[in-house]
């Protein structure tokens, strides 16, 4: 069986996204920035043009990592990574639960004391590759609140489905959902 694709145009580039079923009724376009340096650099540049007033980035493990890294590199500002599980090196970790559209089960996002301290009193830009249901963003917001930081903005390369109607996020392109026939 031949796989269907969605042609995405974002940050001056074109990519073919494979359509992947997530239920009997729905498929999503699989947007993967890993290993695509050209795409990562272009999207980071375009998002930085739209997001001006922040001190530090926060992203969730793992698909937001290349974008957050490149945005931090280009801006000269730091980024923090919310991990999906508590690691042995973490001191006084704080964790929140999240259910993402692309994962089969509930996940945990965690920050340790050093990361929480780095966010305290800072204007934090939340960054991810795709915003869909907003559940991952909400979990990141909870971590910022626990740290005593201020959410300065919410940014992603793509806004999937109804997320493209949100006025509280910055994104580069919409990504439709695909009903299965």
């Amino acid at each position: 069986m031949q796989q269907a694709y969605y042609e995405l145009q974002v940050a001056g580039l074109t990519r073919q996204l494979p359509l992947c079923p997530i239920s009997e009724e729905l498929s999503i376009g699989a947007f993967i920035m890993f290993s695509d340096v050209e795409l990562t650099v272009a999207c980071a540049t375009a998002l930085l043009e739209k997001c001006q007033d922040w001190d530090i980035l926060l992203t969730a493990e793992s698909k937001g990592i290349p974008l957050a890294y490149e945005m931090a590199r280009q801006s000269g500002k730091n980024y923090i990574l919310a991990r999906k599980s508590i690691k042995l090196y973490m001191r006084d970790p704080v964790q929140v639960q999240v259910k993402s559209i692309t994962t089969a089960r509930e996940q945990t996002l965690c920050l340790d004391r050093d990361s929480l301290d780095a966010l305290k009193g800072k204007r934090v830009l939340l960054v991810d590759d795709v915003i869909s249901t907003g559940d991952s963003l909400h979990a990141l917001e909870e971590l910022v609140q626990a740290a005593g930081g201020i959410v300065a903005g919410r940014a992603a390369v793509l806004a999937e489905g109804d997320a493209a109607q949100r006025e509280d996020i910055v994104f580069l392109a919409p990504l439709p959902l695909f009903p299965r026939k």
Side-chain angles (χ1 to χ4, degrees):
M1 182 163 92
Q2 186 175 2
Q3 184 163 12
Y5 290 87
Y6 171 71
E7 184 172 284
L8 172 71
Q9 295 189 9
V10 63
L13 301 172
T14 302
R15 296 295 184 268
Q16 300 295 319
L17 306 185
L19 297 184
C20 302
I22 60 168
S23 72
E24 295 273 330
E25 300 83 31
L26 197 62
S27 291
I28 60 172
F31 179 70
I32 310 296
M33 294 183 75
F34 290 127
S35 302
D36 193 335
V37 175
E38 179 186 38
L39 181 66
T40 302
V41 170
C43 291
T45 301
L47 277 176
L48 284 170
E49 290 173 7
K50 293 182 163 214
C51 302
Q52 302 291 318
D53 196 25
W54 54 276
D55 302 312
I56 192 166
L57 294 165
L58 176 63
T59 195
E61 190 174 37
S62 63
K63 287 173 55 183
I65 295 171
L67 179 64
Y69 170 81
E70 183 59 23
M71 289 177 73
R73 189 191 70 75
Q74 288 184 29
S75 68
K77 298 179 182 180
N78 287 332
Y79 78 99
I80 301 285
L81 174 62
R83 301 299 304 260
K84 287 185 178 176
S85 63
I86 295 175
K87 305 299 180 190
L88 292 176
Y89 61 80
M90 292 181 144
R91 187 172 55 92
D92 301 325
V94 169
Q95 57 186 342
V96 296
Q97 301 301 310
V98 62
K99 176 73 172 99
S100 170
I101 192 172
T102 57
T103 54
R105 58 181 166 76
E106 191 170 75
Q107 295 181 319
T108 301
L109 289 181
C110 318
L111 290 178
D112 67 358
R113 176 56 42 206
D114 293 335
S115 295
L116 292 164
D117 290 347
L119 296 174
K120 186 174 184 171
K122 297 290 193 313
R123 297 168 300 161
V124 183
L125 178 59
L126 307 178
V127 177
D128 210 346
D129 62 334
V130 179
I131 296 172
S132 187
T133 64
D135 290 343
S136 297
L137 271 185
H138 182 69
L140 291 174
E141 289 170 354
E142 286 184 45
L143 290 170
V144 171
Q145 184 177 22
I150 302 139
V151 174
R154 298 156 192 85
V157 175
L158 305 175
E160 186 172 53
D162 291 342
Q165 306 307 313
R166 291 179 58 164
E167 295 182 7
D168 65 325
I169 62 173
V170 171
F171 62 94
L172 301 179
L175 178 61
L177 295 172
F178 302 91
R180 297 182 68 196
K181 295 173 172 111

